[in-house]
Amino acid sequence: MLRTHYCGNLRETNMKSSVKVCGWVNTKRDMGGIIFIDLHDREGTLQVVCDLEVLKDKFKIIENIKNQSVLQVSGKIRLRDHETINPKIATGTVELYAEDCTLLSEAAPLPFSLDDDVREDLRLKYRFLDIRRETMINNLKFRHKIQKLTQDYLDNEGFINVETPMLTKSTPEGARDYIVPSRVHPGEFYALPQSPQIFKQLLMVGGIDKYYQVARCFRDEDLRADRQPEFTQVDMEMSFVNQEDVLLHLEKMFKYIFKHSMNVEFDEKFTRITWQTAMDRYGSDKPDLRFELPIIDITDIARVCEFSVFRKVVDDGGVVRAICVKGGDIFTRSQIDELTKTAQTFGAKGMAWISLRPDGEIYSILTKYFSEKDIKAIIEKTEAKNGDFILFCADKLDLVRKVLGILRLEIADIFQLRRKDDYKILFVTDFPQFEYSEEEGRFVAAHHPFTMPYEEDIDILETDQGAVRAQAYDVVLNGVELGSGSVRIHNSKIQEKMFNALGFSDEEIKERFGFMVDAFRYGTPPHAGFAFGLDRLVMILVGASSLREVIAFPKTKDASCLMTNAPNVVDEEQLEILNLGLSQKELSLNKKAKSNDQIDIDVDKVAALAMLSIKEENKDKMKEDLLSIIEFANQLKEADTSNLKLKTNEVTNVFRADKVTNTNRRDDMLKNAKTKEDGLILVKKVIE
């Protein structure tokens, strides 16, 4: 080995030890005959003392060395002088007194200093340099720790790690697929997996009753701070379990991860709320519970109040809801204007509000439109006190939920209620089975078509889709969806009802999910699963603002890599090989011609086997006919006969009665023999 220790691992316990270290030169301080170097590797920084009297000719290497060059140093560990101790680093009480050094690689001038704040695009372009920064190294080390803890826990719980294909079939799972053209099958495509969903369910059919995988997943969707086109999720599936079993398993797993990675212990059970409660109380299906600020429904008051704007919204089928901000009377006018602007940005027509002064005075333009009775009813319903601030949103239900959910977070930030070192985990359950698509004019699956509805809702799958609840669940941490899962459908009759409810034709079912539906015919255990985003969990725990800070080589917001310039153009030759410019008809003809060319038919041999005499001018026609027969046979082979029943006619007297008949006479049987003797064929002796 070129080294005996990492730079950052040396301590006072290594005193007087001879060591050899390798690393990058962070800084150099020339004191005239003595040069101090801060040598850095993944574990930290070590001060190296280079003495001209000791290094002699090799001292020139240190004099001329450039920052970020790679250096090997050997020598002894000694204590620093008391006045030179550096409490900011773990090795701050010791130093390496160099006895020998070797320049392993000289660095060119860097495009930016690793110690400075640099704009992100430059960091991503030179990501290999950016990773040397202590923050990035620590983030990647912590990510490794979280992944290992998770795998250790699942291993100990009897889960089996199984890899699933990266090249698979395109299936509808909510986002667009990344597709990969096939050279071997022109005009056909693989898809990169959005998740291992189908394969992990097939593993349950195969008897792998506890599966997990740290899986790479790909989704072609618009990016944001907590979303990347390629990401990593910890995927798991279990057989012979129900929803309660899965939630208890997840609670134990996350408590284990937090205890051993953050030294954080949760004494109480994780909070559980239904999707309906989350949306009504917090305006989001991933509520942040580090603070209260609940949304309060005052539609019943608005329905009979004197304020015509609120009354009209309710008459038109809308709702009126409010948030009471404790101590919110301190809001400045500019802060109120900013909140109003935020509400309008997300679709609200405005933001009505009431401020209760500490002395009990009601300050609001609404006093012109509300009666004293109405104001009193609102104050009682929202439980507002002197010094509080009440804001309102009146509109359609979905819009009110969205606007107040966003304002709730904005207000929490004003009061600094979202501390990064405060962790609140909860389960959100009972998601809608379907969601209405305005674009398609029908209900579509909110998750995927294999999610099990609650038993009591199965009868309304096809008649009242908006009311059907799914046995689906999310894990939410501090307002971020860590992951989701569900109980799966394993009963073929329920699955058939689900397909009917989604409006799938038999052809669509066969095309999209044929192999999976077929597999489920051969004994499928009850099963359920879950997956969480490894990147997201690490991002929250290290306090990063973006997934890019916890991924070694991430993409930018437009899904490009500044370091490698991917995606990029490819050679014309590559495109020609893939036949991407041909129509489906041309591809079909080419495929048929190629298939026929690969079949070599020896007409003379076929004729000999059939004891036929074929004229030369008819041989090409015979070959063409044989190819047509082969093609027809292949078409028959591809036909789906799985649902066809064998039809037979009833037959009687199938067994013939035995009757004694006259056999052929010996003389008749031998009449054509050339030589015979004593009623036998005479064969001449040919072997001595």
Side-chain angles (χ1 to χ4, degrees):
M1 292 288 289
L2 296 180
R3 66 183 173 197
T4 60
H5 296 76
Y6 282 107
C7 294
N9 286 346
L10 291 164
R11 300 290 188 273
E12 292 184 31
T13 53
N14 302 108
M15 281 284 298
K16 298 182 181 180
S17 298
S18 293
V19 302
K20 188 182 293 183
V21 295
C22 298
W24 288 264
V25 176
N26 266 3
T27 60
K28 179 178 72 172
R29 302 181 300 280
D30 193 338
M31 311 301 290
I34 298 286
I35 295 177
F36 293 93
I37 281 179
D38 285 342
L39 200 65
H40 185 80
D41 60 21
R42 76 174 207 193
E43 297 301 323
T45 302
L46 175 67
Q47 178 170 283
V48 178
V49 182
C50 303
D51 189 336
L52 173 61
E53 295 297 325
V54 176
L55 293 179
K56 301 187 183 306
D57 292 343
K58 290 197 174 182
F59 192 76
K60 291 181 180 179
I61 295 175
I62 304 302
E63 285 184 309
N64 298 321
I65 200 165
K66 296 181 175 65
N67 280 355
Q68 295 305 310
S69 294
V70 183
L71 184 67
Q72 179 194 56
V73 184
S74 58
K76 284 188 170 60
I77 297 297
R78 69 183 191 183
L79 280 176
R80 288 196 192 194
D81 293 336
H82 182 73
E83 61 272 14
T84 65
I85 288 176
N86 184 357
K88 294 181 180 179
I89 59 176
T91 62
T93 61
V94 298
E95 62 189 13
L96 173 60
Y97 192 68
E99 297 173 351
D100 192 14
C101 66
T102 303
L103 177 62
L104 299 177
S105 175
E106 185 175 11
L110 270 60
F112 58 86
S113 171
L114 301 187
D115 296 325
D116 296 340
D117 288 332
V118 182
R119 67 179 193 269
E120 190 182 38
D121 62 332
L122 196 59
R123 289 174 50 211
L124 292 179
K125 182 177 181 180
Y126 296 96
R127 189 62 158 189
F128 45 85
L129 294 178
D130 190 45
I131 289 174
R132 292 183 196 171
R133 293 188 309 113
E134 187 175 8
T135 300
M136 276 303 303
I137 289 177
N138 288 341
N139 285 353
L140 294 177
K141 286 166 64 177
F142 184 77
R143 178 194 175 104
H144 162 76
K145 183 176 183 178
I146 294 293
Q147 179 174 329
K148 187 176 186 304
L149 284 171
T150 306
Q151 290 180 282
D152 287 346
Y153 177 84
L154 293 171
D155 288 342
N156 291 334
E157 290 292 312
F159 284 75
I160 299 174
N161 188 350
V162 183
E163 289 185 347
T164 53
M166 298 296 281
L167 294 176
T168 183
K169 181 180 180 180
S170 179
T171 57
E173 292 188 40
R176 288 180 295 273
D177 288 324
Y178 279 103
I179 59 173
V180 181
S182 169
R183 175 189 60 81
V184 180
H185 304 280
E188 297 178 347
F189 298 84
Y190 300 104
L192 299 179
Q194 293 187 33
S195 76
Q197 181 64 45
I198 288 176
F199 292 103
K200 69 179 182 180
Q201 289 191 246
L202 293 179
L203 286 172
M204 298 302 103
V205 178
I208 306 296
D209 66 320
K210 285 186 174 183
Y211 141 92
Y212 85 92
Q213 180 183 188
V214 180
R216 296 292 285 165
C217 304
F218 306 85
R219 295 181 184 177
D220 184 7
E221 57 188 354
D222 297 331
L223 305 188
R224 57 191 185 208
D226 64 348
R227 184 181 287 172
Q228 281 276 300
E230 52 182 323
F231 58 95
T232 304
Q233 70 180 35
V234 179
D235 197 53
M236 59 199 82
E237 196 83 7
M238 294 162 275
S239 293
F240 309 111
V241 294
N242 55 31
Q243 178 171 293
E244 183 64 19
D245 296 324
V246 178
L247 297 184
L248 290 175
H249 156 73
L250 294 176
E251 182 166 326
K252 285 175 58 182
M253 181 182 71
F254 282 112
K255 284 182 175 180
Y256 176 88
I257 293 170
F258 269 80
K259 179 180 179 180
H260 291 87
S261 67
M262 304 293 292
N263 198 27
V264 172
E265 295 196 48
F266 299 92
D267 297 327
E268 299 179 352
K269 284 187 142 188
F270 289 169
T271 301
R272 297 189 189 186
I273 59 175
T274 65
W275 176 88
Q276 185 76 42
T277 300
M279 296 300 295
D280 288 338
R281 187 172 177 81
Y282 303 108
S284 169
D285 59 3
K286 45 182 181 293
D288 191 336
L289 297 191
R290 286 175 290 181
F291 57 95
E292 274 298 319
L293 290 178
I295 296 169
I296 302 156
D297 192 354
I298 62 166
T299 305
D300 55 340
I301 299 173
R303 181 177 287 110
V304 295
C305 75
E306 295 184 4
F307 188 30
S308 60
V309 174
F310 280 8
R311 243 187 9 258
K312 185 176 187 309
V313 167
V314 178
D315 291 342
D316 291 342
V319 298
V320 181
R321 293 184 176 177
I323 295 177
C324 176
V325 184
K326 299 301 179 182
D329 180 56
I330 65 171
F331 284 148
T332 64
R333 186 69 204 189
S334 63
Q335 286 176 319
I336 294 174
D337 289 343
E338 282 299 315
L339 290 172
T340 303
K341 189 182 297 182
T342 298
Q344 292 172 329
T345 299
F346 288 93
K349 298 178 179 65
M351 187 189 79
W353 53 271
I354 295 174
S355 184
L356 279 66
R357 299 301 194 197
D359 60 4
E361 178 192 356
I362 297 174
Y363 176 62
S364 173
I365 194 174
L366 293 179
T367 55
K368 295 181 180 180
Y369 307 102
F370 280 111
S371 67
E372 186 176 339
K373 178 183 176 183
D374 294 335
I375 294 284
K376 183 179 179 181
I378 290 172
I379 291 174
E380 288 180 357
K381 187 72 176 283
T382 59
E383 299 182 357
K385 307 295 182 185
N386 292 350
D388 293 347
F389 182 90
I390 308 169
L391 59 87
F392 306 89
C393 186
D395 214 303
K396 297 297 183 185
L397 176 60
D398 289 346
L399 181 64
V400 170
R401 282 173 169 170
K402 180 174 72 173
V403 171
L404 290 182
I406 292 166
L407 290 178
R408 180 176 175 271
L409 298 178
E410 292 284 325
I411 294 165
D413 287 339
I414 292 173
F415 284 89
Q416 298 181 344
L417 301 177
R418 298 205 283 173
R419 292 196 350 259
K420 289 187 176 181
D421 60 349
D422 183 19
Y423 303 106
K424 289 293 187 291
I425 301 180
L426 72 147
F427 294 121
V428 179
T429 64
D430 299 9
F431 279 79
Q433 184 83 41
F434 305 98
E435 57 188 12
Y436 190 77
S437 170
E438 296 288 348
E439 184 179 341
E440 298 185 38
R442 65 182 181 89
F443 281 98
V444 297
H447 308 276
H448 54 70
F450 301 98
T451 300
M452 176 73 83
Y454 277 93
E455 186 175 352
E456 56 267 33
D457 292 347
I458 292 175
D459 290 340
I460 59 171
L461 267 177
E462 300 177 60
T463 56
D464 190 6
Q465 293 169 306
V468 179
R469 298 163 302 142
Q471 293 189 55
Y473 34 84
D474 280 3
V475 172
V476 177
L477 170 60
N478 292 358
V480 176
E481 178 199 326
L482 278 188
S484 60
S486 69
V487 177
R488 324 301 188 187
I489 297 173
H490 69 280
N491 182 297
S492 59
K493 291 183 179 179
I494 297 175
Q495 189 63 69
E496 185 179 350
K497 278 191 171 186
M498 180 62 69
F499 284 143
N500 289 338
L502 291 169
F504 287 159
S505 66
D506 291 343
E507 291 76 16
E508 287 176 313
I509 296 170
K510 179 183 175 183
E511 173 61 27
R512 294 184 180 189
F513 312 108
F515 64 97
M516 193 168 180
V517 173
D518 186 56
F520 280 12
R521 295 169 51 225
Y522 298 101
T524 306
H527 59 287
F530 179 81
F532 73 87
L534 180 65
D535 315 300
R536 284 189 181 181
L537 177 58
V538 175
M539 178 187 75
I540 295 171
L541 296 186
V542 302
S545 58
S546 167
L547 290 180
R548 294 187 290 276
E549 297 303 311
V550 298
I551 297 174
F553 300 103
K555 303 292 189 295
T556 60
K557 290 182 179 179
D558 64 353
S560 63
C561 174
L562 298 181
M563 186 180 68
T564 63
N565 289 325
N568 211 325
V569 296
V570 296
D571 295 338
E572 288 291 334
E573 183 180 351
Q574 289 177 274
L575 295 177
E576 289 175 6
I577 291 173
L578 295 172
N579 292 303
L580 294 180
L582 297 180
S583 67
Q584 289 297 319
K585 183 176 181 181
E586 290 171 321
L587 286 167
S588 179
L589 291 173
N590 286 355
K591 188 174 182 180
K592 179 178 177 181
K594 184 178 179 181
S595 175
N596 289 343
D597 288 342
Q598 290 175 343
I599 300 174
D600 185 19
I601 297 179
D602 188 336
V603 175
D604 291 328
K605 187 174 182 180
V606 173
L609 290 171
M611 301 185 70
L612 297 173
S613 176
I614 306 296
K615 294 181 179 179
E616 194 66 35
E617 60 267 23
N618 293 333
K619 288 183 179 180
D620 288 341
K621 181 64 169 65
M622 182 179 181
K623 182 175 181 179
E624 184 180 336
D625 290 342
L626 290 171
L627 287 172
S628 296
I629 293 170
I630 293 171
E631 184 179 350
F632 180 65
N634 287 333
Q635 291 175 359
L636 290 177
K637 183 180 179 181
E638 292 174 2
D640 183 11
T641 60
S642 58
N643 295 323
L644 297 180
K645 294 182 179 179
L646 183 64
K647 186 176 181 181
T648 58
N649 294 322
E650 292 187 7
V651 180
T652 56
N653 297 326
V654 294
F655 296 107
R656 186 184 64 191
D658 289 335
K659 294 181 180 179
V660 178
T661 58
N662 293 327
T663 58
N664 294 324
R665 291 186 305 112
R666 184 184 294 251
D667 289 344
D668 292 336
M669 296 174 65
L670 298 177
K671 64 182 179 181
N672 292 323
K674 291 184 178 180
T675 57
K676 51 189 175 180
E677 183 176 317
D678 297 331
L680 301 172
I681 297 175
L682 180 64
V683 179
K684 293 182 179 180
K685 185 175 182 181
V686 294
I687 299 176
E688 294 294 338

